[in-house]
Structure formats: C-alpha cells, structure tokens
Amino acid sequence: DGGITQSPKYLFRKEGQNVTLSCEQNLNHDAMYWYRQDPGQGLRLIYYSQIVNDFQKGDIAEGYSVSREKKESFPLTVTSAQKNPTAFYLCASSMKVITEAFFGQGTRLTVV
Amino acid sequence: GESVGLHLPTLSVQEGDNSIINCAYSNSASDYFIWYKQESGKGPQFIIDIRSNMDKRQGQRVTVLLNKTVKHLSLQIAATQPGDSAVYFCAEKEGTGRRALTFGSGTRLQVQP
C-alpha cells in the first residue's frame, strides 16, 4: 500500500543522547515535512524539504537536523541540544508544495 | 493512547446535529487552506481543502467556507456522527515564501449519542 511510514511508534531516549526518527514514503512525493506536536497545541514546523538534497528550517529547527539524500526518505535527528525533546513527532509529504500533505502515524519520543 | 490537545476549545454536539468549527488565520498572503481531523495517537487525516479564489467547497457531509475579508475559515459537518469525534485543525499555506503548512491550535469535537 502507498503511504508514509514512521518508525518507531514509541521511542525512549536518555538525556544527552542523539536519536534519529525515520520517515519513508512510497507516494513519489517531492516535498516532505517534519512537525512537532505538544499537548494543547497545534503542529509546529521543524524542517521541510521541497526536493532531494535541499531543505529549509521551519519555526522550531533549533536542536534538530535533517537530511534528504533520497526522494522517499527524510530522517529527523533530535540532538542533545534540543532542550525539551519529549513530544509527538509527525512526518508528512505532498506531491507539490501547493497540495495537501499526507501524514504518517507519528513517533512519540520520551526523554528519560 | 497519546493525548493531544488537552486544553483545546471543545465543541459538544448531539449525534445527528450539524457542527460548525471555526478558524481565524492571520496571514493575508495565504492562498491555500486545509482542514484536518486527528484522532488520539494518530496522524492528521485530510478532510477538505480550498484555494483562495473560492468562497465555498463541498465534500461528502463536509463544507468549507472561506471569508478572506475577515480571514476566517469554517468547517461544517452535516449529520454529525460519533465517528466524527476528534480534534480538528485548520492549516494554511502562503502563495510565496515559506512553502509549508502552518497549523492552527485545533478544536476538539465531541459527539454525544
């Protein structure tokens, strides 16, 4: 089936460790996005990529890094510089930047 | 499951009634708008979209209205069902500049049987 796959669904990390969240899509979409969601808030944009080997910072990029080496993959690394990393992370993709974005099922990251 | 939107505004309706969820946006450069539905612990699901050259668009049981003069978007759900219970987000995208969706804070819809 076509779609967006995020893994793992739940992730635990010790303070001071980097962790990478996976996002893969087989929809042949050009654009991909990472959002963070905290309780009581909407989704906030971390990074986005309109094309392979190119990406832009969103509103809350500090403490995060991404890569876009392949069209179907857009991994997000949460670094130790991110002061409050516990959150629900959502990856999305869209065929073009002016069409609807389709979301994965999210990864819940908890720092212990 | 995970709780999202613990402190969101809540709209409570009776099953079978019509629901109206409102959203105000601030960016006059936005030219594309979407409504998403999010169930607890899951990713948002696309409901309906509208471009700025339109005032109204209808889907199956849903209608989106856009008032660009006052920067207001609404989602109408006809004959609301228990399965419609979720958090609803509006999102907007600029015509130029940043090419990614900006989300509103969301509204929780509770459907009473």
Side-chain angles (χ1 to χ4, degrees):
Chain A
D1 286 359
I4 302 173
T5 301
Q6 290 187 242
S7 61
K9 185 172 176 62
Y10 298 95
L11 189 56
F12 295 87
R13 187 196 94 176
K14 292 184 179 179
E15 278 193 41
Q17 289 182 339
N18 293 355
V19 63
T20 297
L21 282 58
S22 171
C23 179
E24 302 278 331
Q25 54 98 2
N26 60 4
L27 300 168
N28 199 33
H29 285 173
D30 290 317
M32 296 188 74
Y33 315 84
W34 274 105
Y35 288 87
R36 169 183 171 138
Q37 188 173 35
D38 295 284
Q41 298 188 35
L43 283 67
R44 292 185 290 167
L45 182 67
I46 305 173
Y47 270 98
Y48 66 106
S49 169
Q50 299 182 51
I51 196 169
V52 174
N53 293 323
D54 185 52
F55 48 83
Q56 288 79 41
K57 292 182 178 180
D59 298 317
I60 55 166
E62 184 176 352
Y64 300 98
S65 65
V66 294
S67 63
R68 187 83 188 277
E69 297 176 0
K70 298 185 296 182
K71 187 176 185 178
E72 59 270 23
S73 179
F74 191 40
L76 173 74
T77 297
V78 184
T79 75
S80 57
Q82 169 51 233
K83 298 190 186 319
N84 185 21
T86 295
F88 190 46
Y89 290 88
L90 288 157
C91 178
S93 70
S94 62
M95 181 167 295
K96 296 186 184 300
V97 294
I98 55 170
T99 59
E100 70 270 24
F102 295 90
F103 282 83
Q105 291 303 296
T107 293
R108 166 66 66 175
L109 173 64
T110 302
V111 174
V112 296
Chain B
E2 290 78 17
S3 296
V4 295
L6 291 177
H7 307 293
L8 292 173
T10 299
L11 174 65
S12 186
V13 300
Q14 291 293 124
E15 181 178 357
D17 287 351
N18 296 335
S19 303
I20 300 177
I21 301 171
N22 296 304
C23 176
Y25 65 94
S26 58
N27 189 350
S28 57
S30 293
D31 67 351
Y32 179 62
F33 304 87
I34 303 180
W35 280 99
Y36 283 94
K37 172 186 179 183
Q38 186 178 30
E39 297 173 332
S40 184
K42 297 184 178 180
Q45 296 173 274
F46 171 84
I47 300 174
I48 192 168
D49 61 357
I50 188 168
R51 300 193 186 279
S52 59
N53 60 353
M54 303 173 67
D55 297 322
K56 177 180 180 179
R57 190 161 189 231
Q58 289 184 291
Q60 187 176 13
R61 277 202 311 120
V62 294
T63 300
V64 56
L65 298 177
L66 175 63
N67 185 329
K68 295 180 287 294
T69 302
V70 295
K71 299 191 187 72
H72 184 267
L73 196 66
S74 68
L75 176 70
Q76 300 178 1
I77 304 174
T80 312
Q81 303 168 358
D84 295 326
S85 294
V87 177
Y88 289 81
F89 293 98
C90 65
E92 60 185 291
K93 189 178 287 186
E94 286 184 19
T96 59
R98 187 168 93 169
R99 312 304 293 276
L101 291 170
T102 299
F103 281 77
S105 56
T107 298
R108 181 182 303 281
L109 177 65
Q110 292 181 339
V111 182
Q112 308 296 331

